[in-house]
Amino acid sequence: ENKAQENKAQEKRTVPEMAIDYDRLMALEIPPFEHRYTERDTMLYALGLGFGQDPLNEAELAFVYEKDLKVPPTMACVLANNAWMRTMDTGIDYVKVVHGEQTFRLHRPLPAAARVVGHSRVLDIIDKGAGKGAIVYTERTVKDADSGETLATVVHTAFCRGDGGFGGPERPSAPSHPVPQRAPDIVVDIATRPETALIYRLSGDYNPLHAEPAMAAKAGYKQPILHGLATFGIAGHAILKTLCDYDPAGLAGMSGRFSSPVFPGETIRTEIWREDNAASFQVKVAERNVIALSNGRAELAGA
């Protein structure tokens, strides 16, 4: 009896007070979220990814100038995201959530301006065990609000560091795409600016970790860090430049795993391996030779 009481006390200490309820979270009804964006928003997003750094490069100008405006495919990742994990009663300790992986697939090129609706659902939850966190997979379908046509499917993987041990499945997470062990076929350097995070946050992610020095220090960083989706988008910029001749229709989708933060002002180096109708890639911080985004795969048109 004493042993049973001791075990119960231990469970109470290791499981958060507002722990994840697996069945409840899997069945969670996330309200649709409407998002109206303009050409100005599209240009601002592209500026956050380094488009237009060379004022004489007309291929990049097409993404940041309203004449025949083009849309970076990775913009799908920021459309109609209602941040439900932060705003709804989920049992998740949101303060300890970090972005694990990101995937998107386009069903058609994104319009430069539109009214869209995001429909989100929880795909899966993996319990890594007490003290080891949990993984939550979410799918968001982005549709044109007027026509009902599906524009993109986005899958977001969140690593919930404070939520392991809630009693959910403890199966392994899905394997990530492996990159080749040989030298890359293409290497692209795109510099970020000291104010890149301040520009990128205007596309919808206002987490103070990317703006306030005090908040960054509290999280253990020497300065505010760049958004993971900005790093992801800059990798998409590099792929558009080298494999798609800056044609957004050439990039059908991308996936990757976030490995390490990038500080604004550092150079993002995308290493690319060509494949049939696809490419593998990884992203390094050139100044520190640290991998920031790993296990990347880009799906090209026709794949």
Side-chain angles (χ1 to χ4, degrees), residues 85 92-99 156 158-163:
M85 200 175 290
I92 295 171
D93 185 354
Y94 185 75
V95 174
K96 296 182 180 179
V97 171
V98 295
H99 202 157
H156 174 108
F159 180 44
C160 306
R161 295 177 296 167
D163 296 291

Side-chain angles (χ1 to χ4, degrees), residues 27 54 94 100 114 131 143 168 182 192-193 201 208 218 221-222 284:
D54 179 357
Y94 185 75
K143 297 185 176 184
R182 59 183 173 83
T192 66
R193 297 175 56 86
R201 70 189 298 270
K218 190 174 180 180
Y221 298 112
K222 65 177 183 178
K284 291 181 177 178

Side-chain angles (χ1 to χ4, degrees), residues 4 9 12 38 42-44 49 52 59 73 107 121-122 153 168 170 172 179 196-197 204 236 247 274 278 292 297 300:
K12 194 171 183 181
T38 66
T42 297
M43 290 184 280
L44 188 60
L49 304 185
H107 302 282
R121 65 189 181 103
V122 178
T153 302
E170 293 188 24
V179 299
T196 293
D247 179 6
R274 297 178 187 270
R297 186 177 189 274
L300 305 179

